[in-house]
Amino acid sequence: MTLTKKILLGMFLGIIVGIFLNLVTPQAYPTIETYILSPVGKIFISLIKLLVVPIVIVSIILGTAGISDPKKLGRIGTKTIVFFLTTTAIALTLAIGLATLFQPGVGNFQLEGAQFEGKEAPPIVDTLLNIVPTNPFEAMTEGNMLQVIFFSILVGFAISQLQGRVKLVVDFLDQANDILMFLVGVIMKLAPYGAFALIAVAIGGQGIDAILAMAKYFGIVLLALFAHLVITYGSAVAMFGKTNPITFIKNFSPALAVAFSTSSSSATLPVSMDVAQKKLNIPKSISGFVQPLGATINMDGTAIMQGVATIFIAQVYAVDLSMGDLLTVVLTATLASIGTAGVPGVGLIMLSMVLTSIGLPVEAIGLILGVDRLLDMTRTAVNITGDATCALMIAKGEERHAESYSEAIAES
Ligand code: ASP
């Protein structure tokens, strides 16, 4: 059996066991969760997470160094940011449109139950100002990805300018990259068991009642995620990536399965880069630059949840949102999704920033808390698909650029 099939089987069995624990033996759930499922899941997540910081450093340095022409670096950087921002804005428009159309928040909701300690979301200006680290080693030990990325781009740029003089460092990093990617392969052998345990915990610990009560909200977030995946990414992959979207998703599925089970873009990064380079044939220099950046700042799935949740909460509190409010939601949710770290559940904390921006009560997050774990799994899968779509598109764009350049040279 291929690894992908094994992971899918693990996920399927996880769902079955989760439902069984939830409905048939809820009293046994805490013991099985504490002593069997959670330990297996945690070991798997820690094993892949341990590779994240070294992989980001090595691949971004090599990625940036590989794009030796500063013009090319500028072109790829600009395209990447434009793609990230445009797709996030489209995602939010879809989310707001569907939530306005289907009105998930109209009906009876018990507002007394809504209790959520509104944590202050970090101001986005601080996040942006903090990109420049004063101590790169501190950034690495703290896992501050934006700072690590910034430092690695600087080193990569220096290498590209120094060319042959730092060949030893380049060889060292190349070999380090091979070692890390080899380890990804080894750890992925455990993915079916990790996925099984993580999904059984997520489903077993969920009150089915909570999901039923929130079925409409739940369904609309899923619908918006699906629509974004099929329409936005599907057309980008077909038109600009010159690839059949079904083949693309099939090849990318091992990474999707890991994103789904870990709910963390950042933890999935080693796998999503491995798959993008080996199965989608995206050059290392482009995948190594675009995907780590995307896993940190590009979160369309998270933006979708935030968009639907905001409209849902406004409907529950019977607040009419003006066009200006909706634009504020698009803007703040774009910033909030940029500021969301690629780890489980942070999207929900950042939602408080969006709610506050249009004067909605932050405690209302308590209403959607119960179903967020399952939605987190799905939106994380969408988050990383956006990054891979962008990497594919840029890879194909660069191929075309190189072709037209050599044609121009041949003509002259
Ligand atoms: N879990 C998401 C991710 O890692 C972030 C979030 O929406 O909470 O991509």
Side-chain angles (χ1 to χ4, degrees):
M1 219 195 268
T2 62
L3 184 61
T4 312
K5 281 201 183 127
K6 278 191 195 160
I7 301 177
L8 291 177
L9 183 65
M11 290 168 68
F12 178 71
L13 292 176
I15 295 176
I16 304 281
V17 170
I19 294 178
F20 182 80
L21 285 175
N22 198 302
L23 297 179
V24 185
T25 55
Q27 46 323 340
Y29 173 76
T31 319
I32 297 181
E33 189 254 350
T34 315
Y35 294 105
I36 305 175
L37 298 175
S38 281
V40 174
K42 275 196 186 126
I43 291 175
F44 172 62
I45 293 199
S46 303
L47 278 172
I48 36 177
K49 263 194 181 163
L50 78 89
L51 296 176
V52 172
V53 170
I55 283 192
V56 168
I57 295 173
V58 169
S59 48
I60 293 216
I61 295 181
L62 287 175
T64 317
I67 310 171
S68 50
D69 174 4
K71 255 200 222 149
K72 187 173 171 189
L73 185 62
R75 188 171 64 236
I76 292 182
T78 315
K79 273 191 199 165
T80 305
I81 301 293
V82 169
F83 178 91
F84 286 171
L85 291 178
T86 318
T87 50
T88 308
I90 295 175
L92 277 160
T93 313
L94 260 174
I96 293 176
L98 287 172
T100 310
L101 190 66
F102 291 108
Q103 310 206 315
V106 175
N108 283 331
F109 286 95
Q110 289 203 322
L111 294 178
E112 313 85 72
Q115 276 169 0
F116 183 80
E117 284 286 320
K119 254 193 243 157
E120 192 63 33
I124 195 76
V125 191
D126 285 2
T127 314
L128 295 178
L129 284 180
N130 270 335
I131 290 178
V132 186
T134 45
N135 179 347
F137 296 102
E138 194 180 313
M140 290 172 207
T141 50
E142 282 177 355
N144 184 328
M145 295 325 276
L146 278 182
Q147 294 192 346
V148 171
I149 289 174
F150 182 85
F151 174 71
S152 310
I153 290 179
L154 277 190
V155 175
F157 175 71
I159 291 179
S160 75
Q161 298 308 300
L162 296 171
Q163 299 279 345
R165 275 164 59 198
V166 287
K167 200 170 168 311
L168 191 68
V169 178
V170 176
D171 286 347
F172 171 78
L173 290 172
D174 254 333
Q175 290 170 15
N177 191 42
D178 290 347
I179 294 176
L180 292 166
M181 286 307 184
F182 176 82
L183 286 178
V184 172
V186 173
I187 292 170
M188 276 302 281
K189 297 225 160 39
L190 299 176
Y193 310 99
F196 164 76
L198 290 165
I199 288 182
V201 171
I203 294 192
Q206 264 325 298
I208 297 283
D209 299 346
I211 298 179
L212 288 180
M214 296 292 292
K216 212 166 169 195
Y217 164 78
F218 194 80
I220 289 171
V221 176
L222 289 187
L223 180 67
L225 288 172
F226 186 71
H228 191 56
L229 190 76
V230 174
I231 302 170
T232 316
Y233 297 153
S235 48
V237 164
M239 268 159 41
F240 304 109
K242 305 280 173 226
T243 306
N244 180 340
I246 300 189
T247 319
F248 171 82
I249 286 289
K250 247 193 192 160
N251 287 337
F252 195 56
S253 58
L256 290 177
V258 174
F260 193 76
S261 18
T262 60
S263 293
S264 168
S265 311
S266 164
T268 312
L269 188 59
V271 185
S272 48
M273 284 174 57
D274 191 48
V275 173
Q277 292 168 16
K278 293 196 182 127
K279 292 205 172 170
L280 303 176
N281 299 323
I282 298 173
K284 270 188 197 164
S285 64
I286 293 178
S287 138
F289 180 80
V290 175
Q291 286 179 289
L293 196 63
T296 316
I297 63 169
N298 182 41
M299 309 229 174
D300 293 356
T302 301
I304 284 176
M305 176 280 286
Q306 292 171 339
V308 176
T310 308
I311 303 298
F312 167 77
I313 289 169
Q315 287 166 354
V316 170
Y317 283 82
V319 175
D320 270 333
L321 298 179
S322 65
M323 206 55 202
D325 288 334
L326 295 181
L327 278 178
T328 312
V329 172
V330 173
L331 199 73
T332 43
T334 303
L335 293 175
S337 66
I338 291 176
T340 302
V343 288
V346 183
L348 204 63
I349 295 173
M350 296 302 284
L351 174 62
S352 47
M353 180 177 140
V354 186
L355 295 178
T356 320
S357 74
I358 52 165
L360 287 172
V362 171
E363 316 81 72
I365 294 179
L367 279 176
I368 52 175
L369 202 60
V371 288
D372 196 64
R373 179 73 186 82
L374 294 179
L375 290 178
D376 198 1
M377 300 159 84
T378 333
R379 67 176 179 256
T380 306
V382 171
N383 286 346
I384 62 154
T385 309
D387 309 332
T389 304
C390 178
L392 177 76
M393 225 178 86
I394 289 185
K396 293 289 170 191
E398 285 306 306
E399 265 175 29
R400 284 194 291 275
H401 196 272
E403 275 164 20
S404 55
Y405 183 72
S406 47
E407 270 166 25
I409 292 202
E411 272 168 25
S412 65

